[in-house]
């Protein structure tokens, strides 16, 4: 399975001013804008880390998921949540020829943890031998910072502040996640089955 981001989060959607206020609480952080570029980079890193740990997309945007085989003949679990729409499904053969799949042959089963692409009939269209299927979908809680659940917003701010405070630290273990952040995101994490594979 491959997952790629088709659209990105615009800088204007990131809570830079709220992050500044969060930093001022404990460090006397200034009110100027000279560090905005740096703060945006830490916010983006924190959003990415939280999304990676939870498989939840915070800011709404478009993705392409590629599969070489369906996990089930009648349904395919999607790798991220929440998914609000599937806009296109395309079969790609080994020579690169693309064939659109009719929207009347599949439907989106919405779920906050495990959304699925489901067949209208008995099975999804077969994936071409040595080819793949591309599923274009829209995922995320919404386009605005306030659309994201409050505990996930707090986790992003805490983690971004951690990155900022320890930006020169090289001794932290790889993948280090502060306890407060780990606690906030715990209920959003997906339990992996099938030997660690996708849902």
């Amino acid at each position: 399975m491959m997952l790629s981001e088709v659209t990105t989060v615009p800088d204007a959607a990131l809570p830079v001013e709220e992050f500044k206020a969060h930093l001022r609480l404990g460090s006397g952080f200034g009110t100027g804008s000279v560090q905005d570029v740096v703060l945006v980079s830490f916010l983006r890193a924190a959003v990415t880390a939280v999304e990676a740990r939870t498989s939840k997309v915070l800011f709404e945007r478009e993705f392409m998921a590629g599969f070489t085989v369906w996990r089930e003949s009648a349904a395919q679990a999607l790798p991220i949540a929440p998914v609000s729409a599937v806009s296109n499904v395309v079969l790609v053969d080994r020579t690169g020829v693309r064939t659109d799949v009719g929207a009347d042959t599949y439907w989106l089963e919405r779920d906050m943890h495990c959304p699925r692409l489901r067949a209208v009939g008995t099975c999804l269209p077969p994936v071409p031998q040595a080819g793949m299927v591309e599923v274009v979908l829209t995922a995320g809680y919404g386009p605005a910072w306030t659309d994201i659940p409050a505990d996930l917003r707090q986790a992003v701010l805490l983690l971004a502040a951690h990155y900022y405070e320890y930006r020169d630290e090289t001794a932290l273990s790889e993948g280090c996640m502060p306890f407060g952040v780990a606690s906030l995101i715990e209920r959003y994490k997906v339990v992996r089955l099938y030997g660690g594979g996708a849902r």
Side-chain angles (χ1 to χ4, degrees):
M1 193 279 297
M2 298 183 300
L3 182 68
S4 57
E5 196 173 310
V6 178
T7 57
T8 59
V9 180
D11 286 352
L14 295 169
V16 175
E17 294 305 315
E18 188 170 338
F19 186 32
K20 287 180 184 178
H22 178 84
L23 291 173
R24 282 198 297 274
L25 289 176
S27 64
F29 187 84
T31 58
S33 61
V34 67
Q35 291 198 70
D36 281 8
V37 173
V38 175
L39 299 185
V40 164
S41 70
F42 287 129
L43 283 168
R44 286 192 180 278
V47 167
T48 299
V50 169
E51 289 183 340
R53 290 292 182 101
T54 62
S55 296
K56 301 297 183 294
V57 177
L58 304 186
F59 289 99
E60 185 177 80
R61 52 202 193 274
E62 198 170 75
F63 293 83
M64 192 281 287
F67 305 93
T68 55
V69 63
W70 300 122
R71 181 170 289 279
E72 304 172 48
S73 61
Q76 173 61 53
L78 299 173
I80 51 178
V83 175
S84 58
V86 173
S87 58
N88 201 18
V89 177
V90 180
L91 301 174
V92 185
D93 72 14
R94 60 188 177 84
T95 65
V97 175
R98 304 170 64 84
T99 304
D100 287 339
V101 176
D104 58 346
T105 64
Y106 60 84
W107 60 282
L108 171 64
E109 178 186 356
R110 298 189 185 204
D111 187 275
M112 289 306 292
H113 292 290
C114 187
R116 289 179 174 85
L117 183 71
R118 288 199 173 272
V120 169
T122 57
C123 60
L124 292 165
V127 180
Q129 186 175 12
M132 67 180 300
V133 59
E134 295 178 352
V135 179
V136 179
L137 55 93
T138 302
Y141 290 102
W145 172 245
T146 52
D147 294 325
I148 301 167
D151 46 359
L152 290 178
R153 296 200 308 267
Q154 184 66 15
V156 168
L157 292 176
L158 287 173
L159 187 57
H162 177 79
Y163 289 158
Y164 179 83
E165 296 295 339
Y166 293 94
R167 59 194 177 277
D168 298 320
E169 178 63 69
T170 59
L172 290 173
S173 61
E174 185 176 349
C176 176
M177 183 74 69
F179 174 75
V181 177
S183 298
L184 287 167
I185 69 175
E186 183 64 30
R187 74 186 185 97
Y188 293 94
K189 293 169 71 174
V190 176
V191 177
R192 300 285 179 172
L193 302 175
Y194 310 110
R199 301 170 182 83

